[in-house]
Amino acid sequence: MNTPQHTDYVIGDIDPVTLATNYQCGHCCSETALGTDPDTGGPRLEIRHDDGCPVLSGVLSALPDAVRAVSVPATFRP
């Protein structure tokens, strides 16, 4: 039997470098920083949204931006 592993990924096995490189908030000029989670030793992506961003305040979900970051081919990116 496989032992379940904790993950913060929304879907599947996502390359954190790709997500950090391609993530763009649709509501602010956020910056991303890729580091290491001190608790797990795994990758940690910080998304630094602007003050007042509706994603930062929890009014809107970051899910559409995250899905777009991992699934839209580079030829369609601005």
Side-chain angles (χ1 to χ4, degrees):
M1 174 184 271
N2 291 339
T3 304
Q5 294 181 349
H6 171 77
T7 180
D8 291 329
Y9 293 143
V10 178
I11 50 172
D13 187 19
I14 299 171
D15 176 26
V17 174
T18 299
L19 183 57
T21 301
N22 297 329
Y23 183 89
Q24 293 179 345
C25 179
H27 304 283
C28 74
C29 298
S30 63
E31 295 179 2
T32 58
L34 186 58
T36 302
D37 188 303
D39 297 326
T40 66
R44 176 181 177 151
L45 175 63
E46 288 184 32
I47 301 170
R48 300 172 183 152
H49 293 279
D50 296 342
D51 291 341
C53 177
V55 175
L56 176 64
S57 63
V59 173
L60 295 175
S61 172
L63 182 61
D65 297 323
V67 169
R68 195 169 37 254
V70 295
S71 63
V72 177
T75 53
F76 292 104
R77 295 185 201 286

